[in-house]
Amino acid sequence: MQASLFRKEGEKVRCLACARRCLIGEGQVGFCGVRSVREGKLNLDVYGLVEAAHIDPIEKKPLVHFNPGSKVFSISTTGCSWMCLYCQNYEISQRRRVEGVRLSPNEVVELALAYGADGITYTYNEPMIFSEFAHDIGMEARKKGLFNTYVSNGYGTVEGVEYLSTFLDAITIDFKGNGAPKFLKRYTGASGPEPILETAAGLQKRGVHVEITDLIIPQVGDDLNYARNLVRSIINLMGDQVPIHFLRFHPDYKMTNFPWTPLETLEAHYKIAIEEGMKFVYIGNVSGSPYENTYCPGCGKVVIGRNGYRLVTWNLDKGNRCRFCGYVLPIKGKLSRHAFEERFEDVYLI
Ligand code: SF4
């Protein structure tokens, strides 16, 4: 299927889907392995090919201020714009193969509805590389009352932001290693944090709900000075009400010799974000941590209690006001009818 996010530059084609902006010649493939040039046009080779699918709680993405308790139909293609050395989905993201189960946008939406999902999440590999497929699914999904969310590295472009804002409702953007330039270059292959910040702010400006994650990798991606800089940049560009999640790293792929992130390191990051004035700070991938909860900035009480991806307390009224002090929390959407159900399910594509 022909892609939309590209422009001609002489005999070559410039891909505009991610910040790499690959210049691709006839018969060649971009860095992600799934966008190639044929007859002078850019093709999305994985259009209509779904590599993985699962039903998840929305809190797993993590999105905790957007339709809490929802059940989401998560899908991916193959390929990726980054090459993270610790990728937990490296088999689908790093092999750069064009493969998957053939499904049309309508069929994806029908499957999501059949599983009782509230929305569709494009995840597991970097969704910006297959945005045209996500767009066509997303437009159909909206007609059927489903929302659309991305889990992304945020390594986008101005053109991509414009395109995404036509169908995307929410996005989780992961900085990784506090967005430190040296870390990003060495461990992910990205040039630096600037395109990520611009994408996050651009999407927020266009009405897309944004939550930030930051995967903290011990020894190489846990510098607290960079954490402080990152938090300050986010507050400056997007305000202090953006949820930020510091995620625990676990060893995987080419970094199995690294330890899990110590809890003290995550808590030091949490403390910095609170000191800098962020209102909604979380620690992720640590089930049972008190920092999984949402605390009311008005009175300090737990307004949304969580245990892992499960909601256990809900102390907001219908207008998202704290039941104790009346503070209005910035929650987009509403508490899902699935909120207190089991929300993990295997999905069989064939
Ligand atoms: S989406 Fe793929 S082809 Fe396009 S710029 Fe990014 S890595 Fe290159």
Side-chain angles (χ1 to χ4, degrees):
M1 170 71 82
Q2 189 183 312
S4 309
L5 289 162
F6 76 94
R7 71 165 170 256
K8 289 280 287 176
E9 283 190 18
E11 293 298 301
K12 296 190 173 178
V13 162
R14 176 80 63 188
C15 177
L16 306 174
C18 92
R20 279 189 192 278
R21 293 181 177 270
C22 296
L23 187 62
I24 312 169
E26 185 65 37
Q28 293 179 336
V29 184
F31 178 89
C32 57
V34 300
R35 297 171 76 88
S36 63
V37 174
R38 290 186 211 158
E39 297 172 1
K41 305 258 170 59
L42 189 65
N43 194 61
L44 174 57
D45 302 329
V46 289
Y47 189 101
L49 288 175
V50 176
E51 178 72 355
H54 205 259
I55 292 287
D56 296 318
I58 199 162
E59 286 76 12
K60 188 180 169 206
K61 301 302 140 192
L63 283 172
V64 296
H65 286 206
F66 180 81
N67 290 288
S70 294
K71 202 166 148 177
V72 289
F73 185 59
S74 304
I75 60 162
S76 81
T77 66
T78 53
C80 196
S81 56
W82 283 13
M83 34 164 272
C84 303
L85 300 183
Y86 48 79
C87 182
Q88 57 183 358
N89 298 324
Y90 63 92
E91 286 188 348
I92 58 176
S93 67
Q94 300 303 322
R95 282 190 305 171
R96 304 297 200 257
R97 285 196 197 152
V98 174
E99 60 184 26
V101 173
R102 194 154 286 286
L103 288 175
S104 68
N106 271 332
E107 286 170 329
V108 173
V109 173
E110 288 308 319
L111 264 174
L113 291 169
Y115 279 94
D118 301 292
I120 300 180
T121 296
Y122 309 86
T123 178
Y124 305 138
N125 67 332
E126 172 49 48
M128 283 192 195
I129 66 169
F130 65 88
S131 278
E132 292 88 350
F133 184 33
H135 168 275
D136 292 356
I137 299 168
M139 296 307 260
E140 278 308 308
R142 277 192 169 175
K143 284 186 207 158
K144 300 279 167 68
L146 301 176
F147 57 74
N148 298 293
T149 92
Y150 266 23
V151 179
S152 171
N153 58 28
Y155 203 52
T157 60
V158 179
E159 299 87 348
V161 163
E162 206 58 58
Y163 188 73
L164 294 185
S165 63
T166 61
F167 69 96
L168 200 62
D169 299 290
I171 186 166
T172 309
I173 289 185
D174 193 1
F175 274 86
K176 307 172 198 300
N178 295 327
K182 264 194 193 159
F183 172 83
L184 288 177
K185 282 189 188 107
R186 166 83 178 81
Y187 292 93
T188 76
S191 62
E194 293 78 14
I196 314 173
L197 281 165
E198 283 161 19
T199 300
L203 286 169
Q204 187 203 46
K205 204 169 145 205
R206 283 163 182 77
V208 177
H209 173 81
V210 180
E211 298 198 18
I212 301 293
T213 54
D214 182 10
L215 180 70
I216 307 303
I217 293 122
Q219 301 162 16
V220 294
D222 60 355
D223 187 316
L224 293 175
N225 292 321
Y226 281 108
R228 199 177 287 281
N229 287 344
L230 177 63
V231 167
R232 285 182 180 167
S233 302
I234 291 168
I235 292 174
N236 283 341
L237 283 168
M238 304 173 69
D240 60 9
Q241 301 238 327
V242 184
I244 183 164
H245 309 249
F246 295 107
L247 303 182
R248 189 177 207 187
F249 161 91
H250 73 266
D252 213 325
Y253 191 32
K254 295 184 178 171
M255 289 177 69
T256 49
N257 55 337
F258 276 68
W260 289 66
T261 319
L263 292 184
E264 312 80 72
T265 307
L266 293 166
E267 286 170 10
H269 282 74
Y270 180 96
K271 207 169 143 227
I272 280 179
I274 294 285
E275 270 171 24
E276 291 296 326
M278 291 205 100
K279 296 281 188 291
F280 301 102
V281 187
Y282 299 94
I283 286 180
N285 301 342
V286 184
S287 193
S289 162
Y291 305 116
E292 290 180 317
N293 298 325
T294 301
Y295 294 91
C296 173
C299 65
K301 293 193 173 140
V302 174
V303 275
I304 308 176
R306 301 181 187 82
N307 188 346
Y309 305 128
R310 195 176 274 280
L311 296 185
V312 292
T313 319
W314 185 262
N315 282 321
L316 295 173
D317 69 9
K318 288 213 167 105
N320 290 328
R321 280 179 295 264
C322 168
R323 284 210 175 118
F324 307 107
C325 73
Y327 186 99
V328 180
L329 274 92
I331 306 285
K332 207 162 171 182
K334 56 180 190 334
L335 184 67
S336 165
R337 66 192 191 283
H338 296 299
F340 299 98
E341 297 172 5
E342 178 58 62
R343 288 168 294 145
F344 282 106
E345 216 171 322
D346 290 327
V347 170
Y348 300 99
L349 295 177
I350 41 174

